[in-house]
């Protein structure tokens, strides 16, 4: 538990760089951690910190573009809490594929989507509730300036359940990008994305059932179209069966704010264009979200209200199932340590109605990793401005966080 040391998951001395880490629970107090290094590599770490898949991990994803060898990148994953994990990933050189694998350490690894036309990237994944997964991504097979949203359901045995190369969730004009997904609890999913079919970026969403049938028309349902300012960076969390909460950033450059909307299988449930989560001065942006276990959610974000855009803090807010804020207006401070500039942050449930939030922190000059717990009532539980997770020399980046149960 020494923030100056930490546990090395991979050998960076003799091998190439390890990038874009993500983590899921192994269901036994430990974690399965994944990263990009030409292929997708993985390591399982026990609750006592022992590495279970060798000193440098093991390859868990190596499906390639059929035409050439390329780097596998951007893993995203879900776990069934039995040590079994499904991973989705893309490739770097031409971005022509989406692939997936099941790991325990590895069960299957296969192409989900390939086309020699256009690119496929930014996969996002959720459970289908039956041991398989639903994967969504952005896809330009219909034109380089016309990125659409596609999805595929894959069973626990690795069988594609929907149409080959995926089904289309939105084929509106212009670009739909960076989709995020959450399960609907009935074998389907909710998907949200940024959409510039109009003059400014807006937030749209789609509901898809277990058979791969889109429920909200061929181009999805409008979530936010307020004013002439762009809305972007949506995130989504399943909050109960058949319901989810979407959060996003809305506003002009330098004055972005954070909003949220709840959806069920039929419609939006809160105020048109969403409820305000934080509209403080200057900028609040890049929100992250986790369900609170009571039909609501906790949202965290980067915040420059204290001084200026070149210093950012971390704030959080709890929103209940009715769209009412339960903590201090415009959020509670998680970290307001002077000296930070840009603090990418991630959030997970603490299992008791609160959240654990981790972020990149520059208070010491280099980039370090800090963490804070906020309880159900909005009080920070650990050291003021966070506990150091890693203060090793040089920089630590690409933070990811999960609860240990």
């Amino acid at each position: 538990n020494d923030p100056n040391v930490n546990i090395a998951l991979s050998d960076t001395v003799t091998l190439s760089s390890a990038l874009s880490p993500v983590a899921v629970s192994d269901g036994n107090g430990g974690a399965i951690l994944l990263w990009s290094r030409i292929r997708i590599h993985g390591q399982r770490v026990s609750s006592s910190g022992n590495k279970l898949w060798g000193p440098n991990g093991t390859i868990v994803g190596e499906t390639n573009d059929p035409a050439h060898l390329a780097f596998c990148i951007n893993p995203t994953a879900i776990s069934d809490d039995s040590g079994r994990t499904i991973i989705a990933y893309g490739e770097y050189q031409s971005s022509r594929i989406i692939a997936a694998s099941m790991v325990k350490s590895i069960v299957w690894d296969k192409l989900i989507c390939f086309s020699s036309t256009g690119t496929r990237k930014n996969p996002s994944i959720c459970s289908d509730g039956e041991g398989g997964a639903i994967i969504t991504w952005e896809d330009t097979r219909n034109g380089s300036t016309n990125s659409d949203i596609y999805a595929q359901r894959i069973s626990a045995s690795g069988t594609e359940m929907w149409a080959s190369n995926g089904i289309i969730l939105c084929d509106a004009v212009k670009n739909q990008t960076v989709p995020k997904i959450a399960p609907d609890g009935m074998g389907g999913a909710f998907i949200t994305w940024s959409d510039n079919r109009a003059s400014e970026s807006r937030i749209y969403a789609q509901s898809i059932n277990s058979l791969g049938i889109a429920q909200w028309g061929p181009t999805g349902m409008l979530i936010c179209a307020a004013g002439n300012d762009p809305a972007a960076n949506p995130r989504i969390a399943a909050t109960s069966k058949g319901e989810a909460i979407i959060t996003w950033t809305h506003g002009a450059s330098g004055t972005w704010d954070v909003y949220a909307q709840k959806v069920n299988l039929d419609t939006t449930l809160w105020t048109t264009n969403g409820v305000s989560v934080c509209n403080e001065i200057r900028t609040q942006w890049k929100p992250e979200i986790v369900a609170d276990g009571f039909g609501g959610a906790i949202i965290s974000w980067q915040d420059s209200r204290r001084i200026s855009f070149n210093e950012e803090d971390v704030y959080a807010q709890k929103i209940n199932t009715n769209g009412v804020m339960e903590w201090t207006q415009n959020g509670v401070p998680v970290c307001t340590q002077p000296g930070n500039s840009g603090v990418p942050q991630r959030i997970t449930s603490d299992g008791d109605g609160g959240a654990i939030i981790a972020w990149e922190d520059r208070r010491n000059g280099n980039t370090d990793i800090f963490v804070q717990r906020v309880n159900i009532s909005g009080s920070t539980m650990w050291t003021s401005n966070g506990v150091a997770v890693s203060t090793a020399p040089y920089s630590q980046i690409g933070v990811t966080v999960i609860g240990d149960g």
Side-chain angles (χ1 to χ4, degrees):
N1 201 21
D2 184 344
N4 293 296
V5 180
N6 310 122
I7 296 170
L9 300 180
S10 61
D11 182 354
T12 59
V13 176
T14 60
L15 300 174
S16 58
S17 295
L19 306 171
S20 304
V22 297
V24 292
S25 170
D26 71 351
N28 196 34
I32 295 171
L33 303 110
L34 310 159
W35 63 92
S36 302
R37 170 176 274 158
I38 303 178
R39 304 290 170 262
I40 305 300
H41 290 246
Q43 178 64 270
R44 184 174 180 180
V45 181
S46 72
S47 60
S48 58
N50 294 318
K51 294 186 286 188
L52 304 178
W53 292 350
N56 294 311
T58 186
I59 293 174
V60 296
E62 55 183 342
T63 295
N64 279 286
D65 186 315
H68 58 259
L69 192 66
F71 292 172
C72 300
I73 60 170
N74 295 335
T76 181
I78 56 169
S79 170
D80 65 2
D81 285 338
S82 71
R84 187 174 63 177
T85 298
I86 298 179
I87 306 161
Y89 56 94
E91 60 89 14
Y92 176 74
Q93 185 166 334
S94 298
S95 300
R96 298 198 304 177
I97 74 163
I98 296 293
S101 60
M102 178 175 281
V103 178
K104 195 179 175 176
S105 63
I106 188 161
V107 178
W108 45 258
D109 181 30
K110 62 185 300 179
L111 274 174
I112 298 301
C113 178
F114 167 75
S115 172
S116 58
T117 302
T119 63
R120 276 137 294 284
K121 57 185 180 179
N122 293 320
S124 183
I125 189 171
C126 76
S127 171
D128 70 352
E130 297 182 7
I134 299 174
I135 302 165
T136 185
W137 63 92
E138 61 180 86
D139 196 307
T140 62
R141 69 182 74 175
N142 297 320
S144 60
T145 60
N146 184 21
S147 179
D148 296 322
I149 306 299
Y150 281 75
Q152 179 62 270
R153 182 179 179 185
I154 191 163
S155 72
S157 63
T159 301
E160 296 175 27
M161 305 295 288
W162 299 338
S164 176
N165 285 326
I167 52 121
I168 193 163
L169 300 183
C170 178
D171 60 356
V173 297
K174 299 184 180 178
N175 290 317
Q176 293 77 50
T177 60
V178 195
K180 299 295 179 182
I181 192 169
D184 67 5
M186 291 172 281
F190 298 106
I191 299 97
T192 186
W193 62 87
S194 295
D195 194 305
N196 74 348
R197 69 183 74 177
S199 58
E200 294 286 355
S201 175
R202 298 177 174 183
I203 306 300
Y204 276 76
Q206 181 65 271
S207 171
I208 188 169
N209 68 16
S210 61
L211 300 176
I213 301 172
Q215 302 296 292
W216 294 343
T219 61
M221 180 170 65
L222 181 63
I223 301 297
C224 177
N228 295 317
D229 295 327
N233 297 313
R235 299 291 187 268
I236 188 168
T239 53
S240 60
K241 188 175 182 178
E243 293 184 341
I245 294 176
I246 301 168
T247 186
W248 65 91
T249 300
H250 179 253
S253 177
T255 59
W256 293 302
D257 296 318
V258 177
Y259 284 77
Q261 179 64 269
K262 191 169 191 177
V263 297
N264 64 15
L265 296 175
D266 299 314
T267 187
T268 56
L269 299 175
W270 296 340
T271 304
T272 300
N273 293 317
V275 297
S276 173
V277 176
C278 181
N279 60 1
E280 262 284 358
I281 60 171
R282 302 191 180 98
T283 290
Q284 293 77 47
W285 69 326
K286 295 186 178 179
E288 298 291 341
I289 186 171
V290 67
D292 68 359
F294 302 98
I298 298 171
I299 299 167
S300 60
W301 63 87
Q302 297 169 222
D303 195 304
S304 66
R305 73 182 74 176
R306 177 173 53 85
I307 181 167
S308 67
F309 188 71
N310 62 8
E311 283 208 14
E312 291 182 347
D313 300 323
V314 180
Y315 276 74
Q317 179 63 271
K318 190 173 190 289
I319 185 169
N320 71 19
T321 187
N322 297 313
V324 177
M325 306 305 143
E326 297 200 335
W327 294 345
T328 303
Q329 184 179 3
N330 287 321
V332 298
V334 176
C335 177
T336 57
Q337 175 73 35
N340 275 330
S341 57
V343 284
Q345 45 85 30
R346 298 291 183 266
I347 189 170
T348 191
S349 172
D350 72 351
D352 197 28
I356 297 172
I357 302 165
W359 64 91
E360 298 176 15
D361 193 298
R362 295 181 175 89
R363 70 184 71 179
N364 298 321
N366 296 325
T367 304
D368 298 321
I369 306 298
F370 279 72
V371 67
Q372 180 63 271
R373 181 179 177 185
V374 186
N375 69 13
I376 192 172
S377 62
S379 298
T380 53
M381 303 295 290
W382 298 341
T383 304
S384 178
N385 289 320
V387 176
V389 174
S390 181
T391 54
Y394 304 105
S395 291
Q396 292 76 51
I397 61 173
V399 62
T400 180
V401 60
I402 56 164
D404 68 356

